[in-house]
Every structure is written in C-alpha cells, then in structure tokens.
Amino acid sequence: MGIETTTYIKQVLEMIAKQEVTEEEAAWITKETVDGFRENVNPGFLEYRKTVTQGGQFAAVEWSDEGSCFKDVNGKEYIDCLGGFGIYNVGHRHPKVIKAVEDQLKRQALHSQDLLDPLRAMLAKILERITPGDLKYSFFTNSGTESVEAALKLVKMYSERTTIISTTRAFHGKSLGSLSGTAKGMFRKPFLPLIPGFRHIPFGDMDMMRKTFESCALVGEDVAAVLLEPVQGEGGIILPPPDYLRQVRELCDEYDALLVFDEVQTGMGRTGKMFACELYGVVPDILCLAKAFGGGVIPAGAVIATENVFKSLFSNPFMHTTTFGGNPLACAAAIATIDVLLEEELPARAEESGRYLLDGLRQAAEGHENKIMEIRGIGLMIGIEFHRDEVGYEISKGMFDEGVLVAGTLINSKTIRIEPPLTISKEEIDRVIATFRKVLEKTKA
C-alpha cells in the first residue's frame, strides 16, 4: 500500500469536500475517473457511454445536482430526463429529504440489528395507510431486485405451488431469482439454469394467461403467482390493454394464486397516481417498491403484502433478512419522500406535466414518421420508439450534447425513455421538447 496510496486517499477526500473545482482539478478528476473505469471498474462502460470519445480520454463526469438538473465536473448543466432510471421523483437532493437524513445521521446512522428500531415501524405504518386495499406488512430492502427476491420468497412460503407466470419484455432485476422473471435472453443465457418454475407469456395476452393457468392445473403444476409490472418500463414503456390487470386479478382469485405487482419503476407517483395499480383499480397481494422510494438520496426499497400472505414469516422472522434494509437513514429518507409527494401533490403534477410533455413530443415528431414508430406513455413515464436502434442512439446522443439526458431501455433497445423528476418545471419541459425537435430534424432516418 505505502505512502503513495495514503496520499491518493487524502487527495480524493479533499476533492469530496470541495463544492467547486478549478479547470485543472476538473481535468484531473476526469482523467482519474476514465482511468479508474478502464483499469479497475469495467472498461466496457467506456464503450457503452455515449459521452466518451473514441480516444477514451474525454467523458462527462457527474459532479453536482439539484432540482431537475445535474452538472458535470466542467460546469455544464443537463436536464435529467433519465432520472437515474426513475429514482429522482421528488427531484435531485430535495431539501426535506436531505434534512431528514442529516437529522437522523446526527443521532444514529445504522441500527444495532438486535433492538427495535423506531423508524422502520413508523415507515411500515405509513405504507399501510398510503397503499391500496388491505396491504399491511412491509419488509424493507436496498434495491428493486431485492424487493422482487423478497416477494418471490413470500410466494414460495405461501403455498407449495412452484409455477410463477411472468411476461415477455418483463424486467424484474438481475439477481438470480428476479432474473428468472426477467425476459431478455441476453441477460439470462449465461446464468442458465435459473430458478425453475417460471413461465413467460406475452404481456397483455389475457387469452394466453388463462390457457396457461388451465394447462398448469391439468398437469399438476398449479400457478403460485403472477409477477407483473403494471406498466412495463424496461420493456419500452408498454401500457397494459384496457381491463387487462383487472382480468388477471380475477383469474388469480379464481385459481387461488397470488398477484405480485413490481412497481419499482412505476411507484411513488411516476404514473399520475402514487401507485400505478390505482390507475387500473386493482390491488395486488404483494407490491414491490424501490428506485424513488429513498427520494434519490438513500438507496431504499420495500415489499408490502397482505397479512394473509406475510403471516408465513411471523413464526420465524429470520427466514428472510437483510443487514442494511430498513436502516434508519433509508427510513428517514423514505418518510420524507412520501411527505414531499403528498404535500406537493406530485402524482397529480406528474399526470398534468406528463400530458403536456407527451403532447409536445408528438407535435415535434409530426412529419418524422419515417424515423419514429410511436410515442407513448402515462404520467411522466414516456417512451419514444424508433424504427431503427441507430436512430434512437443518435437522438439520445444529440440531446445529450444539447444538455438533455435521455437513455434507452434495457429490454427494448429501439425505445428511449423520458422519465424526468416529477418536479420538472413547464419551462424545462419546453426546453426538452425544443431540443427533441432540433435533434430530430438533424437526424437521418
């Protein structure tokens, strides 16, 4: 290790303490970041990032953020329409969320694991009050894939059934259990065989859903649960057909199967309601949350279930645990996030702003039907699907150069997403629309 390592550590700590950096310091930070990714993180990221030149020596390196925007280390500001894949629903570093975390940090950062920690109990009580139907008990996690993993364990403990139905274009995470529900072959093949019992059917195909239930019952492999995103995010912002979710609910009730909604991306106000399932008047047995749950400040997630489902953990709560899930800082952030969402009426704002943004994007796309297949969305969860992947990439890169960050989806590479903070202003939306129009006109089909 030696003195050189100690000197480097102190140099990095001094950098962390800085609010502003000089041009020389910015160049050093950029070089260290690119070199570090190449030599110690993963050089593949340098090929993937659209902000890196062919020589690999320049990259936009994030430095600070606030509201609907962030700045790179050179001071260039970007409107964030990727939103960390949907984590910044209340904006970047919302003062109320920051204050709650700082206040908790002054007293205690993490809990002992043995005594009862108050914020976990209080957050669970709040979740019971704001979630639909009879969802009651919560288990707290650190991420979306952990929430799905916990949900799958609840499903398996509920009954001896082993068949779980997921859908094509689904994305539920990349840990082994949630990956079993995820649809994209590229992510799955290197890790086969995955958890047995999963069946994938087309999203929105109710006839196939019913036939699968019937077939499974006939061969003695009855369905334990259906795992669905109410709106598919990584699949390309795919909305369900009218009445689809209600019909799935009724089918699950008919066969005594559980309905699990993965609202990791759609939850916390993104679609115009606090939870997307409320848009469709459907209550699941298990609800998965993460991403925006921690307010874009602390990683946090949750799985909420009915008492009938969750009670299998009552006799031994150590059947499924996590060291950091539900820690005091995460709970403080989540409680403050819910307060902001309710007080500022952000779900309703997402509905209004989303409608305005969707209309503006569609107007900007008029005359470019040879490039764009469809612009669709709900609330501030919008997808722009192109005829060719290359066009989507050029649009995404062009908008980034103009100071607007968007990105593709993981399952449907022809679709870029628009998921800004729910706090985005009308003026910022107008700038996004104008940038999209400008870049679209310059891009070849």
Side-chain angles (χ1 to χ4, degrees):
M1 191 168 69
I3 194 167
E4 287 187 3
T5 300
T6 303
T7 301
Y8 184 76
I9 290 171
K10 293 188 181 303
Q11 190 173 4
V12 173
L13 289 174
E14 289 173 3
M15 179 204 76
I16 292 172
K18 292 178 179 290
Q19 293 299 310
E20 304 289 340
V21 293
T22 66
E23 187 174 331
E24 181 180 343
E25 289 169 333
W28 179 82
I29 292 168
T30 300
K31 181 181 183 301
E32 289 300 301
T33 302
V34 173
D35 289 349
F37 268 86
R38 181 185 298 111
E39 300 298 331
N40 304 110
V41 179
N42 187 331
F45 281 113
L46 298 181
E47 297 298 322
Y48 168 76
R49 298 300 181 196
K50 57 181 169 288
T51 58
V52 182
T53 64
Q54 289 182 343
Q57 294 305 309
F58 171 77
V61 174
E62 290 186 58
W63 181 250
S64 63
D65 63 344
E66 186 175 14
S68 301
C69 302
F70 67 91
K71 290 182 181 180
D72 67 21
V73 74
N74 294 301
K76 182 177 179 179
E77 186 173 76
Y78 302 82
I79 296 177
D80 186 4
C81 282
L82 172 60
F85 299 101
I87 67 175
Y88 293 112
N89 287 19
V90 299
H92 290 259
R93 293 192 307 117
H94 193 289
K96 279 194 173 181
V97 182
I98 294 291
K99 183 180 186 305
V101 172
E102 288 179 341
D103 288 345
Q104 177 61 40
L105 186 60
K106 292 172 186 176
R107 189 175 64 254
Q108 184 187 35
L110 301 176
H111 53 295
S112 70
Q113 306 290 324
D114 192 43
L115 281 69
L116 299 179
D117 42 308
L119 292 191
R120 184 164 22 157
M122 295 168 186
L123 176 56
K125 181 172 288 190
I126 291 168
L127 278 179
E128 181 194 10
R129 293 178 177 180
I130 68 169
T131 50
D134 55 352
L135 295 169
K136 184 176 182 182
Y137 285 92
S138 294
F139 177 86
F140 296 110
T141 68
N142 306 283
S143 65
T145 195
E146 290 180 53
S147 294
V148 174
E149 294 284 350
L152 294 175
K153 279 194 168 182
L154 284 171
V155 167
K156 287 182 174 293
M157 292 191 71
Y158 178 75
S159 74
E160 295 181 353
R161 299 180 183 183
T162 57
T163 300
I164 297 174
I165 296 177
S166 184
T167 58
T168 55
R169 288 189 171 182
F171 184 86
H172 298 293
K174 292 176 184 169
S175 52
L176 285 177
S178 56
L179 183 59
S180 302
T182 292
K184 192 165 187 177
M186 181 183 74
F187 298 143
R188 294 167 55 88
K189 285 182 180 179
F191 308 106
L192 295 175
L194 295 170
I195 306 299
F198 280 81
R199 300 189 179 207
H200 289 81
I201 64 174
F203 182 76
D205 190 336
M206 196 60 216
D207 185 53
M208 180 63 76
M209 180 76 75
R210 176 167 287 279
K211 286 179 178 177
T212 304
F213 265 80
E214 292 171 350
S215 298
C216 289
L218 285 171
V219 299
E221 298 177 4
D222 297 78
V223 174
V226 176
L227 173 62
L228 286 177
E229 301 158 271
V231 178
Q232 290 191 322
E234 303 299 339
I237 319 297
I238 308 298
L239 277 63
D243 223 25
Y244 172 67
L245 298 180
R246 183 187 63 79
Q247 291 175 349
V248 174
R249 171 77 274 179
E250 291 174 352
L251 188 62
C252 287
D253 292 341
E254 181 182 339
Y255 281 83
D256 194 26
L258 299 179
L259 178 58
V260 182
F261 277 162
D262 177 350
E263 292 224 33
V264 167
Q265 194 163 156
T266 57
M268 312 312 294
R270 171 62 54 186
T271 63
K273 293 287 186 182
M274 185 68 82
F275 309 103
C277 62
E278 296 177 283
L279 290 167
Y280 302 98
V282 178
V283 179
D285 300 291
I286 303 173
L287 179 68
C288 301
L289 300 171
K291 289 195 182 297
F293 190 63
V297 174
I298 301 289
V303 56
I304 309 100
T306 64
E307 182 172 356
N308 187 41
V309 171
F310 203 94
K311 66 183 180 182
S312 58
L313 289 177
F314 287 176
S315 60
N316 186 357
F318 296 100
M319 286 295 289
H320 186 64
T321 57
T322 168
T323 300
F324 297 115
N327 70 74
L329 297 179
C331 288
I335 292 167
T337 297
I338 294 169
D339 183 46
V340 171
L341 287 165
L342 294 174
E343 187 174 78
E344 298 184 16
E345 299 180 339
L346 292 183
R349 184 168 164 180
E351 180 185 17
E352 181 180 349
S353 297
R355 193 182 313 114
Y356 180 78
L357 176 55
L358 191 62
D359 288 344
L361 292 171
R362 285 172 173 165
Q363 290 172 15
E366 290 177 0
H368 297 280
E369 291 77 9
N370 59 331
K371 303 172 190 174
I372 296 175
M373 186 179 300
E374 184 182 15
I375 301 178
R376 55 182 175 264
I378 188 166
L380 279 171
M381 188 175 184
I382 295 171
I384 306 173
E385 185 163 5
F386 300 89
H387 291 288
R388 296 192 304 117
D389 299 355
E390 295 80 5
V391 176
Y393 176 81
E394 288 301 320
I395 295 292
S396 181
K397 185 179 186 305
M399 292 183 71
F400 184 84
D401 292 341
E402 295 289 335
V404 177
L405 176 64
V406 298
T409 56
L410 290 177
I411 304 296
N412 184 353
S413 58
K414 292 192 297 181
T415 301
I416 63 172
R417 76 183 80 205
I418 309 288
E419 292 186 34
L422 311 187
T423 55
I424 189 170
S425 68
K426 182 177 180 294
E427 292 73 23
E428 289 168 330
I429 292 175
D430 286 338
R431 183 179 153 193
V432 172
I433 294 168
T435 301
F436 175 65
R437 178 182 286 109
K438 176 181 177 181
V439 173
L440 185 61
E441 289 173 352
K442 294 193 301 182
T443 302
K444 295 180 181 180

PDB file of all heavy atoms in Angstrom, residues 136-153:
ATOM      1  N   LYS A 136     -50.558  -4.604   4.154  1.00  0.00           N
ATOM      2  CA  LYS A 136     -50.366  -4.246   5.553  1.00  0.00           C
ATOM      3  C   LYS A 136     -48.929  -4.351   6.057  1.00  0.00           C
ATOM      4  O   LYS A 136     -48.422  -3.416   6.670  1.00  0.00           O
ATOM      5  CB  LYS A 136     -51.266  -5.136   6.422  1.00  0.00           C
ATOM      6  CG  LYS A 136     -51.226  -4.782   7.906  1.00  0.00           C
ATOM      7  CD  LYS A 136     -52.191  -5.622   8.716  1.00  0.00           C
ATOM      8  CE  LYS A 136     -52.141  -5.184  10.189  1.00  0.00           C
ATOM      9  NZ  LYS A 136     -53.042  -6.006  11.032  1.00  0.00           N
ATOM     10  N   TYR A 137     -48.263  -5.469   5.824  1.00  0.00           N
ATOM     11  CA  TYR A 137     -46.948  -5.709   6.406  1.00  0.00           C
ATOM     12  C   TYR A 137     -45.839  -5.437   5.389  1.00  0.00           C
ATOM     13  O   TYR A 137     -45.958  -5.807   4.225  1.00  0.00           O
ATOM     14  CB  TYR A 137     -46.837  -7.139   6.921  1.00  0.00           C
ATOM     15  CG  TYR A 137     -47.597  -7.365   8.215  1.00  0.00           C
ATOM     16  CD1 TYR A 137     -48.916  -7.822   8.201  1.00  0.00           C
ATOM     17  CD2 TYR A 137     -46.999  -7.102   9.447  1.00  0.00           C
ATOM     18  CE1 TYR A 137     -49.622  -8.014   9.376  1.00  0.00           C
ATOM     19  CE2 TYR A 137     -47.693  -7.295  10.634  1.00  0.00           C
ATOM     20  CZ  TYR A 137     -49.001  -7.750  10.597  1.00  0.00           C
ATOM     21  OH  TYR A 137     -49.693  -7.932  11.764  1.00  0.00           O
ATOM     22  N   SER A 138     -44.745  -4.827   5.876  1.00  0.00           N
ATOM     23  CA  SER A 138     -43.652  -4.442   4.983  1.00  0.00           C
ATOM     24  C   SER A 138     -42.332  -5.097   5.390  1.00  0.00           C
ATOM     25  O   SER A 138     -42.050  -5.279   6.577  1.00  0.00           O
ATOM     26  CB  SER A 138     -43.458  -2.919   4.998  1.00  0.00           C
ATOM     27  OG  SER A 138     -44.570  -2.250   4.444  1.00  0.00           O
ATOM     28  N   PHE A 139     -41.555  -5.434   4.376  1.00  0.00           N
ATOM     29  CA  PHE A 139     -40.167  -5.846   4.549  1.00  0.00           C
ATOM     30  C   PHE A 139     -39.328  -4.885   3.725  1.00  0.00           C
ATOM     31  O   PHE A 139     -39.618  -4.668   2.545  1.00  0.00           O
ATOM     32  CB  PHE A 139     -39.964  -7.285   4.064  1.00  0.00           C
ATOM     33  CG  PHE A 139     -38.537  -7.755   4.143  1.00  0.00           C
ATOM     34  CD1 PHE A 139     -38.032  -8.294   5.315  1.00  0.00           C
ATOM     35  CD2 PHE A 139     -37.684  -7.641   3.044  1.00  0.00           C
ATOM     36  CE1 PHE A 139     -36.710  -8.720   5.392  1.00  0.00           C
ATOM     37  CE2 PHE A 139     -36.364  -8.058   3.112  1.00  0.00           C
ATOM     38  CZ  PHE A 139     -35.872  -8.596   4.301  1.00  0.00           C
ATOM     39  N   PHE A 140     -38.288  -4.303   4.332  1.00  0.00           N
ATOM     40  CA  PHE A 140     -37.532  -3.250   3.663  1.00  0.00           C
ATOM     41  C   PHE A 140     -36.229  -3.781   3.071  1.00  0.00           C
ATOM     42  O   PHE A 140     -35.559  -4.640   3.659  1.00  0.00           O
ATOM     43  CB  PHE A 140     -37.275  -2.095   4.621  1.00  0.00           C
ATOM     44  CG  PHE A 140     -38.547  -1.420   5.057  1.00  0.00           C
ATOM     45  CD1 PHE A 140     -39.016  -1.547   6.355  1.00  0.00           C
ATOM     46  CD2 PHE A 140     -39.300  -0.695   4.148  1.00  0.00           C
ATOM     47  CE1 PHE A 140     -40.204  -0.949   6.743  1.00  0.00           C
ATOM     48  CE2 PHE A 140     -40.493  -0.095   4.519  1.00  0.00           C
ATOM     49  CZ  PHE A 140     -40.952  -0.217   5.829  1.00  0.00           C
ATOM     50  N   THR A 141     -35.892  -3.251   1.903  1.00  0.00           N
ATOM     51  CA  THR A 141     -34.747  -3.717   1.131  1.00  0.00           C
ATOM     52  C   THR A 141     -33.874  -2.528   0.729  1.00  0.00           C
ATOM     53  O   THR A 141     -34.147  -1.385   1.107  1.00  0.00           O
ATOM     54  CB  THR A 141     -35.222  -4.448  -0.135  1.00  0.00           C
ATOM     55  OG1 THR A 141     -35.835  -3.492  -1.026  1.00  0.00           O
ATOM     56  CG2 THR A 141     -36.243  -5.539   0.190  1.00  0.00           C
ATOM     57  N   ASN A 142     -32.852  -2.816  -0.075  1.00  0.00           N
ATOM     58  CA  ASN A 142     -31.947  -1.771  -0.545  1.00  0.00           C
ATOM     59  C   ASN A 142     -32.108  -1.453  -2.023  1.00  0.00           C
ATOM     60  O   ASN A 142     -31.545  -0.484  -2.514  1.00  0.00           O
ATOM     61  CB  ASN A 142     -30.495  -2.199  -0.305  1.00  0.00           C
ATOM     62  CG  ASN A 142     -30.234  -2.587   1.134  1.00  0.00           C
ATOM     63  OD1 ASN A 142     -30.100  -1.729   1.990  1.00  0.00           O
ATOM     64  ND2 ASN A 142     -30.150  -3.877   1.410  1.00  0.00           N
ATOM     65  N   SER A 143     -32.853  -2.295  -2.763  1.00  0.00           N
ATOM     66  CA  SER A 143     -32.934  -2.125  -4.216  1.00  0.00           C
ATOM     67  C   SER A 143     -34.146  -2.852  -4.765  1.00  0.00           C
ATOM     68  O   SER A 143     -34.797  -3.641  -4.060  1.00  0.00           O
ATOM     69  CB  SER A 143     -31.668  -2.687  -4.878  1.00  0.00           C
ATOM     70  OG  SER A 143     -31.598  -4.093  -4.677  1.00  0.00           O
ATOM     71  N   GLY A 144     -34.415  -2.614  -6.047  1.00  0.00           N
ATOM     72  CA  GLY A 144     -35.563  -3.232  -6.689  1.00  0.00           C
ATOM     73  C   GLY A 144     -35.453  -4.736  -6.790  1.00  0.00           C
ATOM     74  O   GLY A 144     -36.414  -5.467  -6.534  1.00  0.00           O
ATOM     75  N   THR A 145     -34.297  -5.222  -7.204  1.00  0.00           N
ATOM     76  CA  THR A 145     -34.152  -6.670  -7.356  1.00  0.00           C
ATOM     77  C   THR A 145     -34.300  -7.369  -6.008  1.00  0.00           C
ATOM     78  O   THR A 145     -34.841  -8.478  -5.926  1.00  0.00           O
ATOM     79  CB  THR A 145     -32.808  -7.020  -8.028  1.00  0.00           C
ATOM     80  OG1 THR A 145     -32.839  -8.374  -8.475  1.00  0.00           O
ATOM     81  CG2 THR A 145     -31.627  -6.810  -7.096  1.00  0.00           C
ATOM     82  N   GLU A 146     -33.865  -6.726  -4.911  1.00  0.00           N
ATOM     83  CA  GLU A 146     -34.048  -7.301  -3.583  1.00  0.00           C
ATOM     84  C   GLU A 146     -35.520  -7.334  -3.198  1.00  0.00           C
ATOM     85  O   GLU A 146     -35.976  -8.272  -2.521  1.00  0.00           O
ATOM     86  CB  GLU A 146     -33.259  -6.505  -2.556  1.00  0.00           C
ATOM     87  CG  GLU A 146     -31.764  -6.650  -2.649  1.00  0.00           C
ATOM     88  CD  GLU A 146     -31.061  -5.834  -1.589  1.00  0.00           C
ATOM     89  OE1 GLU A 146     -31.385  -5.980  -0.396  1.00  0.00           O
ATOM     90  OE2 GLU A 146     -30.192  -5.022  -1.945  1.00  0.00           O
ATOM     91  N   SER A 147     -36.280  -6.322  -3.603  1.00  0.00           N
ATOM     92  CA  SER A 147     -37.718  -6.325  -3.324  1.00  0.00           C
ATOM     93  C   SER A 147     -38.412  -7.475  -4.043  1.00  0.00           C
ATOM     94  O   SER A 147     -39.270  -8.152  -3.479  1.00  0.00           O
ATOM     95  CB  SER A 147     -38.345  -4.985  -3.737  1.00  0.00           C
ATOM     96  OG  SER A 147     -37.861  -3.928  -2.934  1.00  0.00           O
ATOM     97  N   VAL A 148     -38.024  -7.707  -5.294  1.00  0.00           N
ATOM     98  CA  VAL A 148     -38.611  -8.814  -6.053  1.00  0.00           C
ATOM     99  C   VAL A 148     -38.199 -10.148  -5.444  1.00  0.00           C
ATOM    100  O   VAL A 148     -39.022 -11.076  -5.332  1.00  0.00           O
ATOM    101  CB  VAL A 148     -38.219  -8.731  -7.540  1.00  0.00           C
ATOM    102  CG1 VAL A 148     -38.704  -9.960  -8.305  1.00  0.00           C
ATOM    103  CG2 VAL A 148     -38.800  -7.459  -8.169  1.00  0.00           C
ATOM    104  N   GLU A 149     -36.948 -10.279  -5.026  1.00  0.00           N
ATOM    105  CA  GLU A 149     -36.494 -11.511  -4.382  1.00  0.00           C
ATOM    106  C   GLU A 149     -37.326 -11.807  -3.132  1.00  0.00           C
ATOM    107  O   GLU A 149     -37.757 -12.948  -2.900  1.00  0.00           O
ATOM    108  CB  GLU A 149     -35.018 -11.403  -3.988  1.00  0.00           C
ATOM    109  CG  GLU A 149     -34.046 -11.314  -5.139  1.00  0.00           C
ATOM    110  CD  GLU A 149     -33.811 -12.642  -5.833  1.00  0.00           C
ATOM    111  OE1 GLU A 149     -34.253 -13.686  -5.319  1.00  0.00           O
ATOM    112  OE2 GLU A 149     -33.177 -12.637  -6.904  1.00  0.00           O
ATOM    113  N   ALA A 150     -37.561 -10.796  -2.325  1.00  0.00           N
ATOM    114  CA  ALA A 150     -38.358 -10.979  -1.121  1.00  0.00           C
ATOM    115  C   ALA A 150     -39.789 -11.380  -1.462  1.00  0.00           C
ATOM    116  O   ALA A 150     -40.390 -12.240  -0.793  1.00  0.00           O
ATOM    117  CB  ALA A 150     -38.356  -9.696  -0.288  1.00  0.00           C
ATOM    118  N   ALA A 151     -40.329 -10.770  -2.517  1.00  0.00           N
ATOM    119  CA  ALA A 151     -41.683 -11.126  -2.948  1.00  0.00           C
ATOM    120  C   ALA A 151     -41.757 -12.581  -3.390  1.00  0.00           C
ATOM    121  O   ALA A 151     -42.720 -13.300  -3.073  1.00  0.00           O
ATOM    122  CB  ALA A 151     -42.123 -10.203  -4.085  1.00  0.00           C
ATOM    123  N   LEU A 152     -40.757 -13.041  -4.119  1.00  0.00           N
ATOM    124  CA  LEU A 152     -40.738 -14.430  -4.581  1.00  0.00           C
ATOM    125  C   LEU A 152     -40.659 -15.400  -3.408  1.00  0.00           C
ATOM    126  O   LEU A 152     -41.282 -16.464  -3.421  1.00  0.00           O
ATOM    127  CB  LEU A 152     -39.562 -14.650  -5.538  1.00  0.00           C
ATOM    128  CG  LEU A 152     -39.639 -13.903  -6.869  1.00  0.00           C
ATOM    129  CD1 LEU A 152     -38.354 -14.104  -7.667  1.00  0.00           C
ATOM    130  CD2 LEU A 152     -40.848 -14.357  -7.690  1.00  0.00           C
ATOM    131  N   LYS A 153     -39.911 -15.032  -2.373  1.00  0.00           N
ATOM    132  CA  LYS A 153     -39.846 -15.880  -1.188  1.00  0.00           C
ATOM    133  C   LYS A 153     -41.202 -15.936  -0.479  1.00  0.00           C
ATOM    134  O   LYS A 153     -41.619 -16.988   0.012  1.00  0.00           O
ATOM    135  CB  LYS A 153     -38.760 -15.385  -0.234  1.00  0.00           C
ATOM    136  CG  LYS A 153     -37.360 -15.837  -0.608  1.00  0.00           C
ATOM    137  CD  LYS A 153     -36.406 -15.603   0.543  1.00  0.00           C
ATOM    138  CE  LYS A 153     -35.080 -16.299   0.319  1.00  0.00           C
ATOM    139  NZ  LYS A 153     -34.158 -16.107   1.456  1.00  0.00           N
TER     140      LYS A 153
END
